[in-house]
Amino acid sequence: MTMKGNFPIEKLKQIQTPFYYYDTALLRQTLEVVKKESEQYGYNVHYAVKANANAKLLKIIASYGLGADCVSGNEVQAAVDAGFAPSKIVFAGVGKTDWEINLALDNNIFCFNAESMPELEVINELAGAKGKKAKIELRINPNVDAHTHHYITTGLNENKFGFNLEDIDKVLNLMSTLKNLELIGVHFHIGSQITDFSSFQDLCVRVNELQDDFEAKNIKLKNINIGGGLGISYEHPNHFPIADFETYFRLFNKNLKLRDGQVLHCEPGRSVVAQCGSLITKVTYIKQGTSKKFAIVDAGMTDLIRPALYQAYHRIENITSNQQEDVYDVVGPICESSDVFQKEVNMNGTQRGDLIALRSAGAYGEIMASRYNLRNLPTGYLSEEL
Ligand SMILES: *Cc1c(COP(=O)(O)O)cnc(C)c1O
């Protein structure tokens, strides 16, 4: 086996572990693909900032002309600071507070993806106080199963996100009384790490039906936003370093019936940044158990919580050893039994001081780090600045 990622080992050895390492050449290649595949259909891409808000990465992503999808006031501010055009920023989230809405209004963002009737009323009031008209996409729950982990499916009914289909008439009635709002489209987001493309196909069918309903009510939608969710290969980051954007966009072009002048928007997060990032950690001890060996590393669930939170898999490579392979449970130092990155990992013979890479960690990694056990937050380093 042992195919490994490309790492500047000697440079990485100089850096205090644990840390995130971002291969910006791969990020740039990925962004080129996103641009090429989306632009041929005239689709607008908004990078989902919550996947990774490292300021230097945001600057690179913004430089490719993408928009930003934000879920908090601080994300809106970070996107503006990184150079994303406010006219390409969308703001979603079930619990937008007043200061966050005001910040977004002050920055004249593209639109609010609204998720409840009380939220619509509050945005209307705050926009009115500023003498502005706020643009709204209604986030609709299409009741499509994303066939992914239940913590990250969002498109089913009785989910806290979005409006349910049966409430749409009530919502439209309310909208017609709120004079400081302008309905510019509909928004969907069915889940994350979706690798079964039939879920996206189901979404297209729902959106087409919904469009017919809106037309029957004489309502024109300028924008259709299909959210994010495109999955990546956690198993084979070396073979599939770039997500299948080609198939993804082609699927929507083929299955979604856009009306004249309508613009399709999407919000990829994970698929843009996951593969360019690795968590680099040093082996502190090899501990011999009764029947297994533990590789105790200096990173833990505080640095990368996905394995503990979602039973997520990250490929693990010993990037400084070429010794014969052996089997290890790779665990962190945190005082929680769930602080296990992976059991029974095949990797090159491992010793104290070796560097280990947890691959595909660029999304929902650094940004979810915590200071539990009073640990330091990991720093992110870019390949192009080492
Ligand atoms: C999380 C999220 C995204 C990004 O999802 P990925 O699976 O990372 O592509 C996009 N839109 C919304 C509304 C989200 O909440």
Side-chain angles (χ1 to χ4, degrees), residues 117-268:
M117 291 199 259
E119 180 194 337
L120 289 171
E121 289 174 4
V122 170
I123 297 175
N124 180 64
E125 189 186 316
L126 296 175
K130 291 181 186 294
K132 290 189 172 183
K133 217 167 172 141
K135 287 183 283 179
I136 304 287
E137 287 176 348
L138 297 174
R139 177 168 178 174
I140 295 174
N141 222 320
N143 210 11
V144 167
D145 192 340
H147 304 290
T148 181
H149 192 280
H150 62 281
Y151 280 14
I152 50 178
T153 60
T154 53
L156 292 171
N157 277 336
E158 284 317 323
N159 198 302
K160 73 175 177 180
F161 300 104
F163 294 101
N164 289 328
L165 285 168
E166 61 268 24
D167 293 331
I168 290 302
D169 283 333
K170 263 189 279 174
V171 177
L172 292 175
N173 277 338
L174 174 66
M175 284 290 292
S176 67
T177 68
L178 302 176
K179 298 302 171 202
N180 309 313
L181 302 185
E182 180 192 357
L183 178 63
I184 65 158
V186 285
H187 173 235
F188 308 87
H189 173 69
I190 57 174
S192 201
Q193 182 52 18
I194 298 170
T195 51
D196 177 353
F197 278 77
S198 70
S199 301
F200 292 126
Q201 227 146 4
D202 293 349
L203 175 61
C204 289
V205 170
R206 281 306 151 81
V207 175
N208 291 340
E209 289 169 0
L210 198 83
Q211 290 248 60
D212 292 340
D213 290 351
F214 273 86
E215 266 179 2
K217 297 184 211 307
N218 237 336
I219 293 171
K220 277 214 150 158
L221 301 169
K222 270 186 263 175
N223 301 280
I224 304 290
N225 184 332
I226 51 162
L230 176 61
I232 61 136
S233 174
Y234 282 96
E235 285 75 21
H236 304 293
N238 298 315
H239 293 95
F240 304 105
I242 299 180
D244 192 358
F245 291 102
E246 187 188 341
T247 305
Y248 176 75
F249 288 121
R250 195 179 338 111
L251 183 151
F252 286 99
N253 181 59
K254 186 166 159 246
N255 294 286
L256 204 62
K257 294 187 199 124
L258 288 185
R259 311 310 202 237
D260 269 353
Q262 235 173 19
V263 181
L264 185 84
H265 299 253
C266 66
E267 306 168 334

